[in-house]
Amino acid sequence: MKQKKRIILIIAFVIGWNGWSQVINGDFELVKPNFLPSNWGMDFIQNVVVNPSTGGAQADVIQYPWNIPYFVYATNESHTGSYAMELANGFNVTQNEVIRAQASIFNNPELDSPGWNAGVVIEPGTNVTLLGMHYKFLPAGDELGEASITVLNDQNEIIGETQIDLAPTLGNGFQYIYSLIPYTSQSSPIYMYITIKTAKEEQTPVFGTRLIVDNVVTHSIALNTSINGPLAKPRFSAIADVVEGQLQIRPGDLEGAVTYTLFDTTGKQVLTHTSESTGLQIYTIDIQALQAGTYILAAQDTQQLITQKIIKK
């Protein structure tokens, strides 16, 4: 089952990764002269019919959300920085149907839409372990927004994917949401697709719905999120940062079923265990079979994801 979890409390992480280079223009600060966010966009073909009696062409009449002919564009209504990305549904007046807004990442900054070039290469060493973002969702109906990521290997096989439902947000504030990516293979991630929609495929989109997205990442350290109030105490810790055969973990106040996952420095999942936590016991994971090197230990209960760097001798 795909994990769809909303973060409740945000803790400062203890590791450093590739920052915003994980996702091209993931903070949407690169804006083109036509006010489109670089490397993000939506394919849309306007239907054109030919009048057989006159030979003239007539296009469907499209009602766009603002004064620009796009459904995905930059906005100053950002969580951090100067810009975020907004998706807003359009309306095909001729066909009397709503046009769902959908943004996909692509590699060519000269293009305004993905075309045949959707998706981007994952650079070696980039950590792709989750999909996370700040968002503000203001539906005009009862839709749920959706964000998804698909990761492929060098054989063009899907080795990891996750999907997040984006629920309506309250007031004018942004919500942070994330989902871990369950991997089904030990092969290296080479390519990824990220897509964000104003409504799920099985739902009917409504004209007037708006979705604003900022700070799209594949690892939470890049969020650089400020914390209101004092830092909470760490919810778990490895008893030693440098280990040989047995990794001992103190769950702390993590509650219920806790999943412990080890990732190598390429972001590949190498080991995972789930244990019921009472917060008092010491949990031990056998890592003797792993090669020496640096790993990331991630601990997750129903509310929180926390990471810690581990060195295997």
Side-chain angles (χ1 to χ4, degrees), residues 24-153:
I24 297 176
N25 200 25
D27 58 358
F28 306 108
E29 293 303 301
L30 298 178
V31 176
K32 300 163 74 169
N34 56 3
F35 212 59
L36 299 187
S38 178
N39 299 95
W40 290 83
M42 170 179 169
D43 289 325
F44 175 70
I45 299 176
Q46 192 168 356
N47 188 43
V48 178
V49 295
V50 177
N51 188 321
S53 59
T54 65
Q58 181 175 345
D60 283 355
V61 177
I62 304 298
Q63 183 176 348
Y64 291 93
W66 300 109
N67 295 323
I68 55 175
Y70 302 103
F71 309 110
V72 177
Y73 42 85
T75 176
N76 299 115
E77 196 175 342
S78 60
H79 180 266
T80 57
S82 299
Y83 297 101
M85 178 174 68
E86 179 167 337
L87 296 78
N89 294 338
F91 189 72
N92 187 321
V93 178
T94 306
Q95 303 295 330
N96 191 31
E97 62 183 15
V98 175
I99 302 167
R100 176 190 285 106
Q102 173 177 314
S104 297
I105 193 170
F106 55 91
N107 199 49
N108 189 341
E110 302 301 319
L111 299 179
D112 288 342
S113 62
W116 295 101
N117 302 294
V120 293
V121 173
I122 299 173
E123 297 298 332
T126 301
N127 192 309
V128 181
T129 55
L130 59 77
L131 177 64
M133 67 193 70
H134 287 100
Y135 82 99
K136 185 191 300 185
F137 186 42
L138 307 169
D142 58 359
E143 314 103 298
L144 286 175
E146 181 181 278
S148 62
I149 184 170
T150 302
V151 182
L152 295 86
N153 63 11

Side-chain angles (χ1 to χ4, degrees), residues 241-259:
D241 292 335
V242 181
V243 294
E244 292 190 47
Q246 302 296 318
L247 174 61
Q248 293 186 309
I249 301 167
R250 183 180 293 107
D253 60 352
L254 285 173
E255 298 176 350
V258 180
T259 299

Side-chain angles (χ1 to χ4, degrees), residues 7-19:
I7 197 165
I8 304 299
L9 178 66
I10 301 174
I11 301 296
F13 291 91
V14 296
I15 56 172
W17 290 91
N18 288 337

Side-chain angles (χ1 to χ4, degrees), residues 122 128-129 151 159-161 181-185 187 189 263 267-269:
I122 299 173
V128 181
T129 55
V151 182
I159 59 173
E161 56 185 342
I181 303 170
Y183 279 86
T184 59
S185 169
S187 56
F263 300 93
K268 184 192 306 180
Q269 177 181 308

